[in-house]
Amino acid sequence: MADSLDHFLAEHSRLSRRYFLRYGVAGAAGLAALNQLSAEDQSRDPALQKAIDKLETNLTVPKVFRDVSRGNPKPHSLSEEKRKEVGLTRDTWSLEVISDPENKARLGNPLTKEKGTALNFEALLKLGEKHAIRFSKVMTCLNIRTPLGTGIWEGVPLREILWLTKPRDNIRRVFYNGYHNDDPKQIFKSSLPIDRVLEDPDGLPPVILCYKLNGEWLTPERGAPVRMVIPESYGFKNIKWLTHIYFSNLFHANDTYANGNNDIDSTLKTYASTLSFPKQVKSNQPIPITGYAQAGTAGLAKVQVWIQKNGEKFSRDDRYFTTAPWVDAEILSAPTAHQWGGDLPDNKIPIGTIGFDNKTGKPNTWPMPLMKAHWAILMPALPAGKYTLRCRTIDANGKAQPMPRPFRKSGHVAIEQKDIVVTT
């Protein structure tokens, strides 16, 4: 078996020059593990470059974000006349910012419709003239593996609205909801501890009342006229069609999502998925593979790939394949200034976007936390057979996916696996 394998690899010397070989086949030593040489120092194989050229842009055009909106009917599907009537247009929107009636916080100046002090869109933009911020974020659903879209979100920090209410004491949490057809049974709400509103963890932007995505006004589908956006949180915290904010003395979360067996305090998890690979390939052909990695709050250090021959034995005690012969993939560089996509105005990152250089439009670090990065790898040709392709991330703390949170309700954790057939 070993002689046969050596002959097979000799026929593919071009690839073996690019990789340090640690290769085996079921019955000998397991499937290949190939450590890729620095991709920055050499030109890519044309087959891999062709796959890279087909990758999506890093920012998503707002109209093609995936939609998981709630409501019956969904608020964005209402006619413009009805949206005006219920306050879901920029000229009719208003936001009540009040004390929780059941767990009262002391506010000296609650913003209410009854007193005519509710915050309107014009007043929010006035605050934005001084306080508006922009940051990039991938929007991900806690229970759906594929991100909904990635964008640059703009708005006013929630704490600026809190100070308008002249808060006094007994404030432990804030919860909020959007418009849901004036049906109490449809109300969907989320909450945050007050310290997250008042102070930002190191490296994270503030929680904002958002009114722009990729430099343009939010559309109804994206939660217009105003939605909540929490940088590090999954989608259910980022309530659309915002209408009410309650400051509360409640000591615990009261999120609607808690009723669905979810970890409501989860932050974005670092993980990898494939985007393209040949499901069937000849035994004399290398295997180009591309994918994306979500850089969660723990950051992103590596993406790794492993192709296992079906039927090959592996320790049942190593359920996360920590001792498998993983191979480092190339994390692709950040886009150039005009290649981010997303239909940005003038095709440029908006000035003042957190984490980007204002002159060059380049990110200050890459991969950026709370964003997606693309990866690619060219695996060498394999003997005929059936295989399983897997990919995983190593976060900036050195933890390999699915650790350190291996439970689905705390973020996307499963190591993806795909089938590949190699024919003669």
Side-chain angles (χ1 to χ4, degrees), residues 20 24 26 72 84 140 173 178 208 254 267 350 410 415:
F20 169 72
N72 184 25
K84 280 182 176 289
T140 308
R173 294 193 70 85
I208 64 171
N254 59 353
T267 58
S410 290
I415 294 175

Side-chain angles (χ1 to χ4, degrees), residues 43 65 144 148 180 281 310-311 357:
S43 60
F65 267 63
I144 299 176
L148 308 176
H180 284 283
V281 64
N310 291 2
D357 183 271

Side-chain angles (χ1 to χ4, degrees), residues 312-371:
E312 179 188 53
K313 293 183 179 179
F314 200 84
S315 174
R316 292 184 178 181
D317 294 331
D318 189 4
R319 61 184 300 189
Y320 303 138
F321 309 110
T322 59
T323 59
W326 294 95
V327 185
D328 289 353
E330 174 192 358
I331 296 178
L332 302 181
S333 299
T336 59
H338 300 285
Q339 293 181 331
W340 284 92
D343 279 356
L344 294 171
D346 300 323
N347 202 25
K348 296 179 180 179
I349 298 293
I351 296 295
T353 302
I354 293 174
F356 289 84
D357 183 271
N358 284 335
K359 292 183 178 179
T360 65
K362 295 181 179 179
N364 297 330
T365 60
W366 190 260
M368 291 184 70
L370 315 182
M371 286 279 282

Side-chain angles (χ1 to χ4, degrees), residues 233-244:
S233 293
Y234 284 97
F236 69 93
K237 289 282 189 182
N238 298 263
I239 295 291
K240 297 177 179 178
W241 314 296
L242 191 66
T243 59
H244 290 83

